Amino acid sequence: MPTLICRHFSAFYRAYFAMIATLLLVLTPRPSTFPDGEHLTRVLAKDFITVHTRNTPTTYYEGRQGPTGFEYELMHRFAASLGVSLNLNASHHPDGVLPAVREQGDLGAAALPLMADTPGIHYTRPIIEMQPLVVYRRGLYGINAPEDLVGLSIGTLSEAGTSDALKALQSDYPNLSWKESNELEVAELMARVENGTLDAAIIFDHQFRLNRLFFPNVERGFYLGEPLSLVWALPSGRGLGLLEAANQFLQELHENGTLDRLISRYFGHDDYLEYVGTRTFLDHLDERLPRYTELFKQAARDTGFDWKLLAAVGYQESHWDPNAVSPTGVRGLMMLTNPTASEMGVTDRTDAAQSIDGGARYLRSIKDRLPDSITGEDRLYMAMAAYNVGLGHLYDARNIAERRGGDPNLWQDVRAALPLLQQREWHSQTRHGYARGGEPVIYVRNIRRYYEMIEYVERSRQQFFQLEQTPASEEPLLLFEIVPPLTP
């Protein structure tokens, strides 16, 4: 599923990453006193790899289902590829990761920017690009260019890479001043912009994507400087075996599409938010979903689905409105047709309990009727598509996918075939004829994003909104170091 963030990883950037990785390997000095594989051999011998990281939504944190986070997913997979356990130290601030890697760690994975000539450190090939971004409080107009930052109260993180963009800018705008902190994280900066303690902040674009849902009064400004590369750090002087293993692992993730899927899952919400509207979605989470949460959970227990998935279907269908009616006559929170309601024993489609129960059982019945050859997430996505367009049209699309040389058991191939049901050339050859095949593609895409956002809100909301409610008067000034203007 293409998203805005995924489009950043075009062929150009893939080539750029490959070039940087090659230069890193070529220019990295190979120590004469250590065999290339010593560090790797030690990791394998002790049967675990120690990774220094940070406790943030973009790196690592404890979710309801256990450890999660973009870089956690990567480091967990890397440890598994080595056949060792993962030992995490997540107690660091940004400026503490590299010293820990030099002194005691095997690897640092903490949204680290590639910084040339870092003493005692080898860096892996780039993982993703990190574009510095200006964000500002809603109501401050005209924040469109670097000169607009002069005179504002600006915050950023030290040692994270964003402060370097400000330092480069200061040579052209010597009156520019800002605050740096090595104790805060991105969400805390955004909270201070939200509550008025700061006018603006410099963070990375992917961090804004992940956090913006919780700070609707923080606006996207403009990109600042050139993008940096997110990398992992390893200690130098211990051989290159572990570095080469990490580079090979990351290269494989680029090539097999795993990295793009993780990027989409964690950072691909920006177009979703534009579609739904941040405030509308938050309002509905506050005002509507709590009325039906227990009904979704009961339906999930009865049918084996994740309740948040069922809630996402309900939001896609009706925005959790039990009285919703479509022009074609489908009705209720789960928007059941009359025949489907009768089949599921639903006597009142506007009754939320009946609608949620009936919709969940109908989705389960569709999923159970699919061929056994469709497995995993492909089976779920095809069941959702059939909920929207009908099982017969889904089978037609599977046949088209196969005739085009695709795999009818893979959602990505069936997804490409569904819109062809709108073309006479193709639907004239099918059993069930014309269908608005583009709709189930969008339908499944939206539900996946709604689900991800509901899940994220559930596990993170309390943390972020505690930050949001912090009064500006309680701002601990000692958390920031002021970088003064160059001119008195």
Side-chain angles (χ1 to χ4, degrees):
M1 176 174 59
T3 61
L4 185 59
I5 186 74
C6 285
R7 287 197 294 270
H8 287 172
F9 290 85
S10 61
F12 171 81
Y13 287 115
R14 293 180 186 275
Y16 166 75
F17 286 161
M19 178 188 72
I20 293 294
T22 301
L23 288 173
L24 285 171
L25 291 176
V26 170
L27 298 177
T28 300
R30 302 171 73 88
S32 57
T33 56
F34 294 93
D36 279 355
E38 180 184 332
H39 193 179
L40 178 59
T41 300
R42 289 181 179 180
V43 168
L44 297 177
K46 67 183 181 180
D47 203 31
F48 67 88
I49 183 170
T50 298
V51 180
H52 294 275
T53 187
R54 293 154 56 191
N55 188 201
T56 77
T58 56
T59 52
Y60 155 80
Y61 63 97
E62 287 288 338
R64 293 193 177 188
Q65 305 298 320
T68 187
F70 174 69
E71 288 201 76
Y72 172 79
E73 296 250 13
L74 295 177
M75 60 181 97
H76 178 73
R77 291 167 188 255
F78 179 51
S81 74
L82 297 176
V84 300
S85 300
L86 180 62
N87 177 40
L88 290 183
N89 183 338
S91 62
H92 299 291
H93 295 302
D95 61 350
V97 175
L98 293 184
V101 171
R102 289 190 194 96
E103 296 167 8
Q104 54 188 294
D106 297 315
L107 189 145
L112 299 172
L114 174 61
M115 306 296 287
D117 303 321
T118 306
I121 293 294
H122 289 328
Y123 289 117
T124 63
R125 60 167 290 143
I127 299 173
I128 63 172
E129 71 168 14
M130 303 191 295
Q131 173 63 60
L133 174 72
V134 175
V135 299
Y136 62 92
R137 188 173 64 258
R138 178 174 297 198
L140 290 178
Y141 299 106
I143 313 298
N144 302 311
E147 56 266 25
D148 299 324
L149 299 179
V150 176
L152 297 183
S153 175
I154 304 168
T156 194
L157 304 183
S158 57
E159 306 298 328
T162 48
S163 60
D164 291 340
L166 284 167
K167 291 172 185 174
L169 190 64
Q170 197 179 44
S171 61
D172 294 326
Y173 300 94
N175 290 326
L176 182 65
S177 177
W178 64 92
K179 302 174 183 178
E180 294 183 1
S181 175
N182 62 2
E183 297 185 37
L184 300 178
E185 286 294 350
V186 168
E188 295 166 297
L189 280 180
M190 293 183 68
R192 282 157 173 78
V193 175
E194 177 95 355
N195 67 26
T197 304
L198 294 172
D199 295 324
I202 313 301
I203 60 177
F204 288 116
D205 183 65
H206 70 283
Q207 296 169 334
F208 177 69
R209 292 173 184 277
L210 189 61
N211 292 301
R212 72 175 285 188
L213 175 67
F214 302 99
F215 304 104
N217 288 318
V218 178
E219 296 276 7
R220 174 192 292 277
F222 56 91
Y223 291 150
L224 191 65
E226 297 298 320
L228 305 176
S229 295
L230 183 147
V231 291
W232 285 348
L234 295 88
S236 62
R238 303 184 196 175
L240 299 179
L242 189 61
L243 175 65
E244 291 168 353
N247 279 331
Q248 181 179 350
F249 167 76
L250 294 171
Q251 176 67 27
E252 290 173 356
L253 293 192
H254 275 288
E255 293 176 350
N256 65 25
T258 301
L259 184 60
D260 281 345
R261 288 192 291 272
L262 289 175
I263 291 167
S264 177
R265 188 201 308 175
Y266 282 93
F267 309 126
H269 304 307
D270 213 40
D271 53 344
Y272 156 84
L273 288 167
E274 296 301 328
Y275 173 77
V276 174
T278 305
R279 291 180 178 276
T280 300
F281 188 64
L282 284 174
D283 287 346
H284 289 167
L285 280 173
D286 282 335
E287 298 169 7
R288 297 185 182 182
L289 182 57
R291 305 175 204 165
Y292 311 114
T293 297
E294 289 306 315
L295 296 177
F296 282 121
K297 289 182 176 179
Q298 183 58 54
R301 288 191 288 268
D302 294 341
T303 58
F305 290 114
D306 185 327
W307 77 268
K308 296 183 290 294
L309 175 74
L310 296 177
V313 173
Y315 193 80
Q316 168 64 23
E317 291 289 351
S318 69
H319 281 199
W320 300 317
D321 179 3
N323 297 310
V325 182
S326 83
T328 57
V330 292
R331 181 183 296 269
L333 196 147
M334 300 294 276
M335 297 296 271
L336 302 177
T337 65
N338 260 322
T340 299
S342 297
E343 180 184 349
M344 295 294 111
V346 173
T347 58
D348 182 358
R349 289 183 290 168
T350 63
D351 180 271
Q354 290 192 48
S355 184
I356 291 171
D357 173 68
R361 286 188 293 108
Y362 181 56
L363 183 61
R364 168 52 62 184
S365 72
I366 293 174
K367 189 177 180 184
D368 289 346
R369 288 154 63 187
L370 292 172
D372 293 340
S373 55
I374 307 173
T375 60
E377 289 186 337
D378 295 295
R379 191 176 187 88
L380 176 61
Y381 299 153
M382 288 199 212
M384 291 192 296
Y387 189 103
N388 173 261
V389 77
L391 198 53
H393 289 306
L394 178 75
Y395 286 148
D396 287 345
R398 293 183 71 239
N399 291 333
I400 290 175
E402 190 168 24
R403 290 206 300 270
R404 298 175 73 218
D407 187 340
N409 299 316
L410 294 181
W411 169 242
Q412 64 181 15
D413 292 344
V414 175
R415 179 183 63 196
L418 275 163
L420 298 179
L421 294 175
Q422 299 170 182
Q423 300 179 18
R424 181 174 183 81
E425 173 189 356
W426 289 99
H427 71 67
S428 62
Q429 305 176 50
T430 65
R431 179 177 179 183
H432 298 90
Y434 171 86
R436 291 188 293 187
E439 288 189 3
V441 174
I442 298 172
Y443 181 87
V444 173
R445 181 195 69 188
N446 286 348
I447 290 173
R448 291 174 65 179
R449 294 176 182 175
Y450 296 149
Y451 168 77
E452 290 167 2
M453 298 310 297
I454 294 169
E455 184 179 55
Y456 184 67
V457 167
E458 283 294 306
R459 68 190 178 215
S460 305
R461 187 169 207 162
Q462 182 176 1
Q463 171 192 353
F464 282 100
F465 276 83
Q466 284 176 344
L467 293 170
E468 182 187 359
Q469 298 303 317
T470 302
S473 60
E474 296 181 9
E475 170 67 18
L477 297 177
L478 294 179
L479 290 179
F480 286 104
E481 176 183 349
I482 297 176
V483 179
L486 296 180
T487 56

